[in-house]
Amino acid sequence: MTNPSASPQPHDPDPASTGDGQRRPGDWLLRLALGLFALGLLAIVAIFLIPVLSDGSPGLWLYFAALLAPLGFLVAIVFALRSGRRSR
C-alpha cells in the first residue's frame, strides 16, 4: 500500500517563480536589459540596411538608438551581480 503523503512533489519548471505564481522582484531588470539590447541590435541592423535599400544615410537618432545595445549589456551585468549575491 502506498502512502500518498510520501509521493514526490512535482518539480517547478520555472526557476524564476516564487512558488505562488509570482516572479522574483529583480526579473524586471533582466527584461529591461534584454529589451534595450534587442532595440540596440535592431538599430544597428537598420544602420547597415538603410544605405543598401535607399540612397539616403541613416539619421542621427538611429546612431543614438544603437547605443541601447551596450546600455542593455550593462544593465544585464548589473542584474547578474545583483542576482548572484548571497541572501542573508
Side-chain angles (χ1 to χ4, degrees):
M1 188 166 188
T2 326
N3 185 358
S5 63
S7 64
Q9 297 295 325
H11 177 67
D12 187 13
D14 185 12
S17 68
T18 59
D20 56 357
Q22 297 178 353
R23 296 198 173 268
R24 287 184 287 178
D27 283 347
W28 66 271
L29 197 59
L30 179 62
R31 290 180 185 266
L32 176 69
L34 289 174
L36 289 173
F37 190 75
L39 288 174
L41 287 182
L42 284 174
I44 291 170
V45 168
I47 287 171
F48 285 105
L49 286 181
I50 286 178
V52 172
L53 299 176
S54 68
D55 291 334
S57 62
L60 181 63
W61 66 272
L62 209 49
Y63 289 103
F64 283 126
L67 291 174
L68 292 176
L71 180 64
F73 185 70
L74 289 175
V75 172
I77 289 174
V78 169
F79 169 77
L81 291 174
R82 286 185 65 196
S83 66
R85 286 191 326 184
R86 292 176 140 201
S87 46
R88 294 181 178 230

